[in-house]
Structures are given as structure tokens and as C-alpha cells.
Amino acid sequence: MRDNRDDPGHPDTGGHWRYLWWLVTCQWRRVLVGAALACAYMVLLTVPPQLLARAIDGVRDRDRAAVIGFAGALLGTGALLAVVSVLQYRAMTLACADAYLRTVRVLTRAVTRLGPTLHRRIGAGEIVVIGSTDVEQITRTIMIVGPGAAGILGYCAVAVALLSISPTLAVIVMLGVPVLMVVMKPLLGRLRRTEDSYRAQQGESTAMVGDIVTGLRVLCGIGGKEVFADRYRTRSATLREEGYRVAAVTSWIGAVALALPTVFVAVVIWSAARMAASGQIGLGEMVAVYGYVATLSVPVSAILHGIDDIGRYPVSARRLLAVLTLRDDVTDTGTRHWPEESGELYDPVADLRLPASGMVAVVTANRAGVIAVFERFARFTDSAARYGPTPLREFRLEEVRRHIVLVDNDAYLFAGPLREIIAGATEPDDARVLAALRVAAAEDVSTGLPDGLSTVLPDRATTLSGGQRQRLRLARAICAEPDVLLLVDPTSAVDAHTEALVAARIHAARSGRTTVIATTSPTVLERCDMVVHLRDDVPAVVGTHRELIGDRPDYRALVLRETAGDTIECEAAR
């Protein structure tokens, strides 16, 4: 069995059954032991009814030694059954736990690998549902290899035991379970269809909850809370109706799984009683038949649960494989290591050239356009962008992502102690963390928390204000000390005084390295060494903020939020 504490392995994503087979083969020894113990348990279940029948015959014949012998054997078999049951349950539980951990690790690795590609393809709510409900269902299906398969063997063993008593009873038993499967097949097909729809809507609703919680302060401020609440109520009502459909099918499956075996047992007992009354079988054999039929509930239950798990498995597995088979928008084929000397950044798509060091602002009315440029520089998408003379795609992707960091206001804040949130992937160092907080003018965040840097913040840091979260994102980026730092509106949620403080401190702290800021804030632009006015289908204009304010009316209108009338009036005054 492969140890998955460090590496879960590489799953077979060619289909949902192949993925299940991969989970089994990764721990085949444990699964084999569990299946063998489960089979032994099912076969041993056929022994007590036979011993009980012999004991009853001994009572009838007044054979005291036989009664004591068979009673002792019955007691020993019961103890052995208990031990085997515990061992097989332990083995299969460990197998399920291994499959669960392995699947979670594989999913986490895929999410980490996809990075920015993931949110373009799959919603956050769907990922949450896959990582919880679907993963649990997938790993529970491992049980079909142990108790599920053993249930079939136990069913056959009971049929063989009954064959020695009455071929008629054996035929009734052999035909009973296939009838159960035929009856349940349409219900399982309907369950798969309704669960597909339910899971899709569940993912959408979970994503909406996350959006509402994240933007709750803003929604309250603009009075939009009730609008989003109404939308969520409507979606929840739709999800509830879909849940009712799933519950209705599930209840029918449960009812059939409970009722049909009961009817089945009644038919077998009634047939055995008639045979005993007519003298075809003896009293001990009739008791044995009852014992066999009662025992039959264990393998039949295992078979029905296995069928149920098999019916649910494809729905969950397909959703997991949809994530695992996603391909990154970026191909990691580079072999070059990051150079020691700094280089200028050049994007041929926007014809944008940025210096090797200094604080540069990119001003544009097209926010999506500048984000697309930044994503090409950060290699979130493949492009012909260069760092110095070398195309970025020729560098190893891991090194590009480490040396060029892109931060926007949607950057995720994970739960944990404040020092670890700011330190990110680096080893937490209080002096370094505090220095980064100071550059981001976020000292008040740490001093205002009850335990300072040790304070544990929730997921997305929802207990903080929007401005505080924005400064924490900036502090985390500063703490990483990348060669190139790309910032999208890093001061949009802070007041003018804090904005000026942040701009001055970034300029000082990032001296000798490249910092590129997408902003239209005059306060930040004043601090920049160079400003690039990026316009659609027109060559970029480069200069300082003061030069562009004086020479470029379109730049002035964008930065100072002037109207067309203001611009004409200003030109006339000049």
C-alpha cells in the first residue's frame, strides 16, 4: 500500500470507474484483507443456524452431550463472528479514510495547480460542495469492494445451505434478490438524474452565500442587502423543491429496500412452515431455515447499500473528475531559471514597456484591459510577454509566480493567525511581518486585534472592514518581496490620508525593484517615478504625473474626473 501522507499519487481520470479502481489499487493489500474478512464473516453467518438445528435435534433425541457440544460450538462461532466483524469493519474504515484523504489531496493539488484558471471555469460554491459532499460519497463507495462483494458471497452461501434442506426454498432465495435489483433499477436511475440537478443548484447557492457574506458591509452601505436576500430566498426555494424531489426518490428506495426483503422473508418462512407441517422437513430444519433467512438480511442489506452507493457514485465522481481533468491556461514548459539581474517588462499585445526598477503607474479607462496586461506579466495566461530579452514562457512557471506577484482586491485571505496570513508561503517572522504591515499602513489592524499578530482571523477575514482587508492583501504582497509587484487599485478602499501614507511607504520600501500600480488616484500618481497612460488602439503616452496633467487633456479628464465642459473651459483658460 502506498503512503499518501506526502504524495497521493496520480489518479486515473479516464472515467469514474477507473478512478474508483485507482483508489482501490493504491491500497490493494488493505482492501484485499478487508474484503477477505468481510467474505469470511458472511460465510460464518451460515454456521449458527446449522448448529442451532443440530442442538434442537439433540433436544428432541434427548442427547445431552450433543446439545452441550452444539451449544458450545454456537457460542464459539458467535465469538469468532464478533472478532471477524470488528477486524473487517476496521480494515474497510481505514480503506475509506485513506481514499478520502487521497481524494482530498488530489483535489487540493488540482485546485492549487489551476490557480487563476479555476475561478474562470468553476464557481467557488461548486468546489466547496465537491470537497465535502461529493468526496464523502466517492470514498463511501469503497465499501462495495468489501461488504458489498461479500454480500453476494453470503447470499450464495445461504442459498447453498438451503439447497441441502430443500431445493424449492433455495430457488425462492436465489430468485428473490435479483427481483429486488430489477425493481430498484428505475429508482436508482431517477435518483442519479435528480441528484445531478440538485448538486448543480447547491453549488450555485453556496457561491451566492459566499458573495453575500464577502460583500455584506458594502451591501448594507448601498442598501442592496434586501435585493440580494430576495435573490437568495428565491434560489433557496428552488433548491428546496429540488431537494424534495431527491428526498422523494430516496424515500421510495428506502421503502422498497425495507419492504421487499420483509415480504421475501415472509414468503420463505411461510413455505418452510408448510413443508414442516407436511413432514417434508424436520423441526430442526425449519428452525435452520428461519435462521438462514434471518441471516440473509445481512448480505441482502450489504448488496442493497452497495447498489445505492453505486447509483450515487457516478454523480459525485463526474463532478470531481471535471476539476481534475481541467487544464491550466498556462503551459509550464519553461526551463530557464530566474535571472539575478533585473529586466524591463514588455507586453507586445498592449505595446507596453515598463522599466527594470522604480514605481510605475498605469492609467487607463479600461480596467479589464490593464488587468489582462498584468495577468500576462504574471503568466496567468500564455503570451509573448518578456522579462528583459527573454520571453516569460521560457522561465519555469514556479519561478515566475514567485518573482512576479499580482495583487487585486479579490485576492483570497485564508483563515489563520494574522502573522501567518501576512507571511504567506514564507516562514513567519514577526519583524518582517510588522515591517510589511507598516508599509501597508496596517499597523492599526494588528494593534486593534485582541491578540495582535496571534489573533486568528476567519476565512476571508470577514470580521475586518474592506479597507483593512485591502491593506492586509498589500502587506502580504510586500512581505513576499517579489522582484516585480503588480497592484490593482491598492488604495481604493482607504481614506486620502492613508492613501498618501501607503504610496510614500511603498515607494521607499520597494526602492530598486519594480512596482507597477493600476490606478487613477492623483495621490498615488504623484509618488510614481513614471506614469503610462494606456489607451485602446492608440500608442501609450509616458511621462510624470505633472507632465501628463499639463499636456494631456484626456489624461487630465480621467484622473481628475473632469467632464467634457471642464476640459474645454480649462483649455480656454490656458
Side-chain angles (χ1 to χ4, degrees):
M1 184 186 68
R2 182 174 181 166
D3 188 356
N4 70 343
R5 287 177 295 180
D6 300 318
D7 180 15
H10 298 281
D12 187 340
T13 57
H16 47 270
W17 297 120
R18 291 172 66 174
Y19 180 81
L20 182 64
W21 179 246
W22 174 76
L23 287 178
V24 171
T25 54
C26 283
Q27 47 172 336
W28 64 270
R29 291 187 182 88
R30 177 181 289 152
V31 172
L32 185 62
V33 169
L37 289 170
C39 289
Y41 176 75
M42 292 296 182
V43 172
L44 279 172
L45 285 175
T46 63
V47 176
Q50 187 65 28
L51 294 175
L52 183 61
R54 294 289 183 269
I56 290 174
D57 288 340
V59 172
R60 183 194 57 194
D61 298 336
R62 300 182 182 278
D63 188 344
R64 184 174 182 179
V67 171
I68 295 175
F70 286 118
L74 185 63
L75 179 62
T77 304
L80 182 59
L81 277 169
V83 172
V84 173
S85 175
V86 170
L87 292 177
Q88 68 93 15
Y89 183 80
R90 181 178 183 275
M92 294 311 303
T93 300
L94 289 174
C96 288
D98 182 278
Y100 184 92
L101 180 60
R102 197 178 297 274
T103 301
V104 168
R105 287 182 179 273
V106 166
L107 177 62
T108 303
R109 184 174 63 190
V111 169
T112 304
R113 170 180 57 83
L114 291 167
T117 300
L118 185 64
H119 79 271
R120 302 189 188 107
R121 310 283 186 86
I122 299 177
E126 189 169 355
I127 293 296
V128 171
V129 174
I130 293 172
S132 54
T133 307
D134 290 326
V135 170
E136 183 179 353
Q137 179 58 52
I138 288 168
T139 54
R140 190 161 56 236
T141 311
I142 293 291
M143 283 292 186
I144 67 171
V145 182
I152 298 175
L153 178 62
Y155 164 67
C156 294
V158 170
V160 170
L162 284 173
L163 189 62
S164 64
I165 297 175
S166 169
T168 302
L169 294 176
V171 170
I172 293 174
V173 170
M174 291 297 292
L175 293 177
V177 174
V179 169
L180 295 181
M181 295 180 182
V182 170
V183 171
M184 292 189 68
K185 185 177 179 181
L187 293 174
L188 293 173
R190 186 180 173 190
L191 177 63
R192 281 195 295 271
R193 293 190 296 271
T194 54
E195 280 203 333
D196 271 333
S197 176
Y198 178 78
R199 292 290 173 80
Q201 293 187 37
Q202 187 181 30
E204 293 173 2
S205 297
T206 305
M208 180 174 284
V209 170
D211 293 340
I212 292 174
V213 171
T214 303
L216 188 58
R217 292 177 184 267
V218 176
L219 291 175
C220 291
I222 64 176
K225 183 173 63 174
E226 289 303 321
V227 175
F228 274 82
D230 287 341
R231 290 180 184 175
Y232 181 69
R233 274 193 287 268
T234 301
R235 188 174 291 276
S236 296
T238 305
L239 181 63
R240 180 187 60 199
E241 294 303 320
E242 200 65 30
Y244 287 158
R245 290 181 59 198
V246 174
V249 179
T250 305
S251 65
W252 273 108
I253 292 175
V256 169
L258 180 65
L260 289 185
T262 303
V263 173
F264 174 58
V265 170
V267 170
V268 175
I269 296 300
W270 179 78
S271 301
R274 285 180 59 85
M275 290 180 179
S278 63
Q280 297 179 44
I281 61 175
L283 179 62
E285 290 176 321
M286 188 189 76
V287 173
V289 168
Y290 178 80
Y292 288 135
V293 174
T295 297
L296 197 61
S297 64
V298 178
V300 168
S301 176
I303 293 171
L304 293 178
H305 278 97
I307 294 173
D308 186 33
D309 287 337
I310 290 174
R312 294 171 182 267
Y313 170 75
V315 177
S316 298
R318 281 196 298 267
R319 291 164 61 88
L320 173 69
L321 294 178
V323 177
L324 299 186
T325 54
L326 278 179
R327 292 294 172 259
D328 199 342
D329 292 338
V330 178
T331 54
D332 187 11
T333 57
T335 57
R336 289 177 178 264
H337 291 285
W338 196 257
E340 294 183 3
E341 65 278 2
S342 299
E344 69 170 12
L345 287 167
Y346 176 66
D347 176 41
V349 177
D351 193 23
L352 178 62
R353 195 179 300 273
L354 300 174
S357 64
M359 186 164 159
V360 183
V362 178
V363 177
T364 180
N366 183 2
R367 188 175 186 274
V370 73
I371 291 177
V373 172
F374 281 12
E375 288 184 345
R376 289 194 287 270
F377 282 145
R379 284 216 70 199
F380 286 1
T381 57
D382 269 329
S383 72
R386 298 199 303 262
Y387 183 74
T390 308
L392 283 168
R393 61 171 172 260
E394 293 186 10
F395 294 112
R396 296 174 59 193
L397 182 60
E398 180 184 356
E399 297 200 19
V400 174
R401 297 278 175 83
R402 185 168 67 248
H403 291 280
I404 301 180
V405 171
L406 169 59
V407 180
D408 60 23
N409 292 321
D410 294 327
Y412 204 91
L413 292 172
F414 294 94
L418 178 60
R419 65 165 52 83
E420 294 182 9
I421 293 174
I422 303 302
T426 62
E427 188 67 26
D429 177 79
D430 284 2
R432 187 176 177 182
V433 168
L434 289 172
L437 287 170
R438 183 183 179 282
V439 172
E443 307 101 310
D444 62 303
V445 178
S446 61
T447 56
L449 294 173
D451 298 320
L453 295 179
S454 299
T455 303
V456 177
L457 296 179
D459 198 35
R460 297 175 182 263
T462 52
T463 55
L464 303 180
S465 68
Q468 289 174 321
R469 291 197 295 270
Q470 187 178 56
R471 285 178 285 155
L472 287 188
R473 293 186 182 99
L474 178 58
R476 182 173 61 184
I478 295 293
C479 192
E481 298 181 350
D483 292 339
V484 179
L485 180 57
L486 308 173
L487 303 173
V488 179
D489 291 327
T491 58
S492 60
V494 300
D495 58 70
H497 172 74
T498 305
E499 187 176 39
L501 200 60
V502 169
R505 290 179 178 178
I506 290 177
H507 189 275
R510 297 278 304 165
S511 177
R513 283 172 290 189
T514 303
T515 305
V516 187
I517 305 175
T519 183
T520 57
S521 166
T523 304
V524 177
L525 294 171
E526 282 279 3
R527 283 286 181 179
C528 291
D529 302 312
M530 186 178 84
V531 177
V532 179
H533 184 198
L534 197 63
R535 300 168 295 171
D536 294 335
D537 302 322
V538 178
V541 178
V542 180
T544 66
H545 173 60
R546 291 185 180 275
E547 290 171 349
L548 295 179
I549 280 286
D551 299 336
R552 307 295 305 182
D554 53 349
Y555 175 84
R556 183 169 57 250
L558 178 60
V559 171
L560 301 182
R561 279 72 168 177
E562 291 179 346
T563 64
D566 294 333
T567 304
I568 294 172
E569 184 178 331
C570 183
E571 287 296 313
R574 287 167 59 85

